């Protein structure tokens, strides 16, 4: 990784990368690939899993409800599958994106 350490793929390395101070760009995209040097445990090729959904749908209420569950209560299922729960700053970005889905 950028700090010269051989970080391992796993929950610890992914959490270190996800905890880095990456900010969303103008399109709301976030990247944790190759985080700054100050995160020596960060696995450098960690990434988020994205979903592509329409912003307009006749099933908008159901879609928003499911996506909100996925980024909140659904996160508890991640570690067993080697997915690290998303950090709070990412949750804020996700919630803003979910509110843009309408009928």
């Amino acid at each position: 990784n950028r700090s010269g350490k051989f970080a391992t793929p796993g929950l610890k390395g992914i959490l270190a990368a996800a905890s880095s101070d990456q900010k969303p760009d103008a399109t709301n995209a976030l990247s944790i690939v190759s985080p700054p040097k100050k995160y020596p445990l960060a696995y450098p090729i960690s990434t988020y899993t994205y979903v592509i959904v329409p912003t307009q749908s006749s099933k908008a209420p159901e879609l928003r409800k499911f996506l909100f569950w996925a980024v909140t209560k659904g996160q508890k299922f991640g570690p067993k599958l080697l997915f690290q729960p998303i950090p709070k700053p990412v949750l804020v970005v996700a919630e803003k994106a979910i509110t843009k889905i309408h009928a």
Side-chain angles (χ1 to χ4, degrees), residues 7-59:
T8 57
L11 292 177
K12 190 168 146 183
I14 296 167
L15 177 61
S19 299
S20 65
D21 52 4
Q22 309 296 346
K23 304 286 185 242
D25 67 13
T27 65
N28 236 11
L30 287 167
S31 175
I32 56 174
V33 174
S34 196
K37 282 174 91 170
K38 66 181 180 179
Y39 299 94
L41 299 178
Y43 186 61
I45 57 173
S46 299
T47 191
Y48 293 112
T49 300
Y50 292 89
V51 295
I52 298 171
V53 297
T55 55
Q56 187 170 355
S57 169
S58 61
K59 298 185 181 206

Side-chain angles (χ1 to χ4, degrees), residues 8 32 35 37 56 63 65 68 80 84 87 99-100 102:
T8 57
I32 56 174
K37 282 174 91 170
Q56 187 170 355
L63 185 54
K65 184 176 178 180
F68 184 76
K80 203 173 203 179
Q84 187 67 349
T99 63
K100 294 178 182 177
H102 63 280

